[in-house]
Amino acid sequence: RLFATNEVPLSRLFPVSSSHVSALGGSPWPAQVNTNARGGPLRCRDGDYGWGFGVHATSELRFALWPLVSAFRTGIGLDRLAGKGGCIRARIIHLPTNQPNHQTAFLTGASQVIEMGWLPITVTTDTPHELVLQVDLAHTGRPPGADPLDIRDIANWVDPMLQLDPQRLAQAIEQRLTTQVPAWRDWRAVGATAATCRRMPRFTEWVEPYGRFEEAVVAVEQIGRAHV
C-alpha cells in the first residue's frame, strides 16, 4: 500500500451517509471498509486490492470534500464471489454540480475492473461539496444472460484515492504549526512559520530514572544556526 504525501485513501474517511436498497427485499448488505460486502478480501479479476469499499447494489456512499481536494481516482469491479454473474453500472457524482464525473457501461462478471484515472475536482468554500459513489443493479437494459435484479451484484470500489493540491496543503500545514505546540496554547505566536520554526525531539537527561525525549521548538536563524 503506497501513496504520496498529498494523497489520502478514501477508505480512511467516514462517509456522511451510506444507503443500500435490495430489489428482493429483506436486509440489504451494508457497505464494508477494506473488505468485500461479505467480509472477505477485496478481490476483482485476478488480483487483490489494498483498500476500498465492498458494497451490494443498489448502493450510494457520500463523502464530504474540503477545498484541499483537487482530484479523485478509483477502480470499480464485481468481486470474484460474483463469478460470471452480476450486472451493475457505477457512477461518480460531484455535488453540488450534480453532474457525473464518470459513468460506466454495463459491467458483468468478475473478469474486469474499470480503472478511472484522475478526475479533476474543484471545491469552493461558498457551499458544501460531496463526492457520491453509486452502484446501480442495472436491471433495465442489462445484457442478455446477465443475472436479473441484484443477484450476485457484489461490487468493489478498489483503491479509491483523493489527491490534495500540494501548495494549498503546505499552506494548511503551516497554519496549523502553532497548534501542535502545547505550551503555546492560548498564546499568539508572532512570526512562527515553517520557515522560522521547527519541531524536533530533545533528550532530557535529568528526568528520572533514565531521561526521556520531549518535543522542542527550534527557532531557525537565517545564517543556518539554531537555538532552542
Side-chain angles (χ1 to χ4, degrees), residues 24-105:
L24 300 176
S27 299
W29 295 92
Q32 302 293 325
V33 180
N34 298 333
T35 68
N36 64 28
R38 302 296 190 268
L42 286 170
R43 288 178 174 169
C44 296
R45 201 166 49 197
D46 55 355
D48 293 359
Y49 289 83
W51 64 85
F53 301 94
V55 300
H56 195 289
T58 297
S59 166
E60 181 180 275
L61 301 174
R62 293 190 174 206
F63 298 86
L65 296 177
W66 59 101
L68 294 179
V69 176
S70 61
F72 173 72
R73 70 168 172 81
T74 188
I76 182 70
L78 286 160
D79 192 87
R80 282 170 58 180
L81 292 178
K84 296 182 180 180
C87 181
I88 62 169
R89 295 190 75 170
R91 67 179 60 90
I92 300 172
I93 300 174
H94 174 207
L95 297 177
T97 64
N98 204 32
Q99 296 295 322
N101 286 33
H102 189 90
Q103 179 170 283
T104 70

Side-chain angles (χ1 to χ4, degrees), residues 2 7 51 71-75 116-119 158-162:
L2 180 66
E7 296 175 345
W51 64 85
F72 173 72
R73 70 168 172 81
T74 188
M116 306 174 194
W118 287 109
L119 305 173
V158 293
D159 292 356
M161 184 82 76
L162 292 172

Side-chain angles (χ1 to χ4, degrees), residues 2-220:
L2 180 66
F3 44 90
T5 55
N6 67 318
E7 296 175 345
V8 179
L10 189 63
S11 60
R12 290 194 170 189
L13 307 180
F14 289 102
V16 296
S17 68
S18 175
S19 62
H20 312 275
V21 179
S22 173
L24 300 176
S27 299
W29 295 92
Q32 302 293 325
V33 180
N34 298 333
T35 68
N36 64 28
R38 302 296 190 268
L42 286 170
R43 288 178 174 169
C44 296
R45 201 166 49 197
D46 55 355
D48 293 359
Y49 289 83
W51 64 85
F53 301 94
V55 300
H56 195 289
T58 297
S59 166
E60 181 180 275
L61 301 174
R62 293 190 174 206
F63 298 86
L65 296 177
W66 59 101
L68 294 179
V69 176
S70 61
F72 173 72
R73 70 168 172 81
T74 188
I76 182 70
L78 286 160
D79 192 87
R80 282 170 58 180
L81 292 178
K84 296 182 180 180
C87 181
I88 62 169
R89 295 190 75 170
R91 67 179 60 90
I92 300 172
I93 300 174
H94 174 207
L95 297 177
T97 64
N98 204 32
Q99 296 295 322
N101 286 33
H102 189 90
Q103 179 170 283
T104 70
F106 288 102
L107 184 60
T108 59
S111 62
Q112 59 178 319
V113 175
I114 298 178
E115 300 285 354
M116 306 174 194
W118 287 109
L119 305 173
I121 293 178
T122 301
V123 181
T124 60
T125 57
D126 56 345
T127 184
H129 286 246
E130 291 183 346
L131 179 70
V132 184
L133 306 182
Q134 294 180 344
V135 176
D136 290 338
L137 53 85
H139 177 68
T140 303
R142 67 191 187 279
D147 289 344
L149 302 177
D150 58 1
I151 299 175
R152 292 193 285 184
D153 286 353
I154 309 168
N156 296 332
W157 292 102
V158 293
D159 292 356
M161 184 82 76
L162 292 172
Q163 186 180 73
L164 310 183
D165 180 86
Q167 183 176 357
R168 283 180 287 172
L169 176 61
Q171 293 172 350
I173 292 175
E174 182 166 318
Q175 291 173 357
R176 289 167 173 76
L177 174 67
T178 59
T179 65
Q180 304 302 311
V181 183
W184 287 357
R185 290 173 184 169
D186 300 325
W187 289 77
R188 184 169 63 91
V190 178
T193 68
T196 60
C197 295
R198 184 178 305 154
R199 294 181 63 196
M200 63 178 295
R202 179 186 183 188
F203 186 72
T204 304
E205 297 181 354
W206 55 82
V207 177
E208 296 292 341
Y210 307 111
R212 70 185 180 195
F213 280 97
E214 296 180 336
E215 286 291 321
V217 179
V218 177
V220 182

